[in-house]
Amino acid sequence: MARDEVQEFFRTYDQFSDQPYFIQGDPVVQFMDKNAKAIRTLKMQLCMTSWDTLYYRLRANFDGLRSHYVTVRECEPDLAVGNTSYEYGCKVTNVKYADGIVLVDFERLTGKVEKLHADLVIAADGPASSIRRILCPEIERTYVGYVAWRGTVVEDQVSKETREVFRKCVSYFTYPGGHILIYLIPGHHGSLKPSQRLLNYVWYCNYAVDTPELDHLMTDIDGRRHRVTMPMGKMRPDVYNRQKLLAEQILPAAFAEVVRMTAQPFVQCITDASAPKAVFFDHQPSCLHALLLRRVLPSHTVRPTEKDSHPQVASKTTRLTFQAYESKVVQYARLTSLASVAWGNKNQFSAWVFLGSLFRLALAYVEYWIGKMWDLAKVSLKL
């Protein structure tokens, strides 16, 4: 989903803004019953995209990578601001600060170890971040008790009736202990043409930690037990056949059809990993910006309206101290994470679990507004 901050980023920096990268369905989010009838709707225009579509557009802007996703033009002279190099297959093994620069040790796929000296390092290596493990070894990535079944199917491979159901932006179905959402995303090579787009589903199901059921789910066709992600093509047929049977039993027919027609499903365990800070090495001018604060539950997060997310704040660092930058993004990450946890708990667990997470979110917002008012008061006193 291309949320407001993503669209703002591309409006500001994208050289290929004449080439669309998202889908806008009917401006309605619908919550459906077992008969696929809308029981509640929200009027909301969402812009749906995919990770691969965004990746190739970012690469086209960064280093001019040519692909079927973006028609790359020659960069205009006034936009050429430096040299770029995108290095594949590099694993960071150490990060440290010395003599005014950040030193990065990394290992290539060949086994060759190299060093990089940098004025600024941005760590954006995801929830399994090796850099976070180096800088915050005490932080553990923990499983929260449910998984996301995921998959896609080309929209012309499902019935006309099913396509009609999913014309809306996002369609939800909830039941005790789980929920599923389906929406359209760009198709092969980022195609936005009707019939070539993909119906994408995310189905959240509870699996208790350290149980035979979770072990069975995460053990692949080769007998390997995966910790977080069951990759495409590795799921055992009996596991997916059981899930398709469950879909037929509890999901509306249109939702079950999308699950049944998916050829390459995969599973992600939902995890939590929270770093306590965003700026390291004592806020030095050549510090490390570790943009790896908290995980956010995929696809279904209700997010704060505060616009100070990483890309927006990072673009203002010339006007902010690193301390102010860290304060803003840590605060944003905390509110976003708590909202995400509350939404997930609402749909997956008991009312008491949900109310507990909602209370923690409310407290965080009270602290946030008290802090905002205190900052305003300090400014007024200075005046």
Side-chain angles (χ1 to χ4, degrees):
M1 186 182 301
R3 296 184 184 273
D4 291 344
E5 57 266 35
V6 174
Q7 295 178 56
E8 180 183 342
F9 180 87
F10 278 106
R11 281 194 297 268
T12 304
Y13 300 108
D14 187 17
Q15 301 177 51
F16 311 101
S17 56
D18 58 317
Q19 303 176 45
Y21 62 93
F22 55 76
I23 296 170
Q24 288 184 313
D26 290 355
V28 174
V29 176
Q30 57 184 356
F31 298 83
M32 314 193 80
D33 62 15
K34 184 67 166 61
N35 297 315
K37 302 297 183 182
I39 55 177
R40 185 162 64 95
T41 60
L42 297 175
K43 190 170 180 59
M44 185 182 302
Q45 183 65 77
L46 300 176
C47 302
M48 315 309 291
T49 189
S50 60
W51 290 113
D52 56 331
T53 300
L54 291 181
Y55 169 80
Y56 283 104
R57 181 169 291 261
L58 289 169
R59 284 294 306 275
N61 280 280
F62 177 69
D63 63 345
L65 178 70
R66 297 181 181 276
S67 70
H68 294 285
Y69 290 79
V70 183
T71 301
V72 176
R73 302 180 294 268
E74 292 299 323
C75 182
E76 298 178 14
D78 61 336
L79 295 177
V81 294
N83 298 321
T84 61
S85 176
Y86 191 98
E87 302 290 332
Y88 294 91
C90 297
K91 178 183 178 181
V92 174
T93 57
N94 196 23
V95 182
K96 57 186 178 181
Y97 178 81
D99 300 327
I101 58 173
V102 183
L103 306 177
V104 181
D105 296 340
F106 64 94
E107 182 179 344
R108 296 189 181 273
L109 289 176
T110 59
K112 183 181 179 182
V113 177
E114 299 184 31
K115 293 182 181 292
L116 175 70
H117 295 178
D119 295 317
L120 177 68
V121 174
I122 299 175
D125 51 344
S129 171
S130 60
I131 298 178
R132 181 176 55 224
R133 288 197 298 272
I134 293 168
L135 295 172
C136 304
E138 73 282 3
I139 301 299
E140 295 185 2
R141 189 179 182 187
T142 57
Y143 173 59
V144 301
Y146 60 102
V147 308
W149 282 80
R150 309 195 67 152
T152 60
V153 59
V154 180
E155 63 178 319
D156 70 352
Q157 293 180 0
V158 300
S159 65
K160 180 180 178 181
E161 292 76 15
T162 293
R163 291 198 299 272
E164 183 64 23
V165 168
F166 299 122
R167 282 179 50 242
K168 311 301 182 185
C169 277
V170 181
S171 300
Y172 280 88
F173 175 71
T174 64
Y175 60 92
H179 69 293
I180 183 173
L181 59 154
I182 293 182
Y183 49 90
L184 284 166
I185 62 173
H188 186 57
H189 290 156
S191 174
L192 303 180
K193 295 180 180 178
S195 80
Q196 296 181 7
R197 301 172 300 184
L198 298 175
L199 283 165
N200 180 69
Y201 78 85
V202 189
W203 183 6
Y204 297 96
C205 300
N206 292 348
Y207 291 82
V209 65
D210 295 331
T211 58
E213 292 77 14
L214 182 61
D215 289 339
H216 186 70
L217 172 68
M218 300 304 293
T219 301
D220 67 18
I221 54 177
D222 301 316
R224 178 188 172 190
R225 207 296 195 178
H226 295 264
R227 181 170 178 261
V228 176
T229 302
M230 173 62 68
M232 288 184 182
K234 286 294 185 177
M235 185 176 294
R236 298 201 314 277
D238 66 298
V239 172
Y240 194 39
N241 288 337
R242 183 181 304 172
Q243 193 70 9
K244 287 190 288 186
L245 179 61
L246 180 63
E248 298 291 342
Q249 293 171 348
I250 67 174
L251 300 182
F255 287 78
E257 182 181 358
V258 173
V259 173
R260 184 178 67 252
M261 296 299 293
T262 298
Q264 294 287 333
F266 64 104
V267 172
Q268 294 174 310
C269 290
I270 305 303
T271 61
D272 192 3
S274 304
K277 55 188 300 184
V279 179
F280 292 80
F281 307 131
D282 298 324
H283 302 94
Q284 295 295 327
S286 55
C287 73
L288 176 87
H289 285 225
L291 308 191
L292 38 78
L293 290 167
R294 306 182 83 101
R295 74 87 170 87
V296 175
L297 303 187
S299 300
H300 64 201
T301 304
V302 177
R303 305 183 72 166
T305 56
E306 174 68 48
K307 292 296 184 72
D308 289 323
S309 58
H310 287 303
Q312 282 70 38
V313 176
S315 68
K316 304 170 187 174
T317 51
T318 55
R319 303 190 299 274
L320 287 175
T321 65
F322 284 137
Q323 290 93 333
Y325 165 82
E326 181 175 49
S327 175
K328 285 181 175 291
V329 296
V330 168
Q331 186 176 71
Y332 177 85
R334 184 186 180 209
L335 293 174
T336 300
S337 179
L338 288 172
S340 174
V341 169
W343 182 258
N345 288 345
K346 175 183 182 296
N347 291 296
Q348 298 300 131
F349 303 117
S350 70
W352 289 111
V353 173
F354 167 60
L355 289 174
S357 57
L358 194 61
F359 178 71
R360 288 187 289 273
L361 176 61
L363 281 181
Y365 266 105
V366 169
E367 293 175 10
Y368 167 73
W369 285 111
I370 289 175
K372 293 278 280 190
M373 289 187 289
W374 177 243
D375 289 342
L376 289 173
K378 288 191 293 185
V379 171
S380 298
L381 289 173
K382 288 180 180 179
L383 295 176

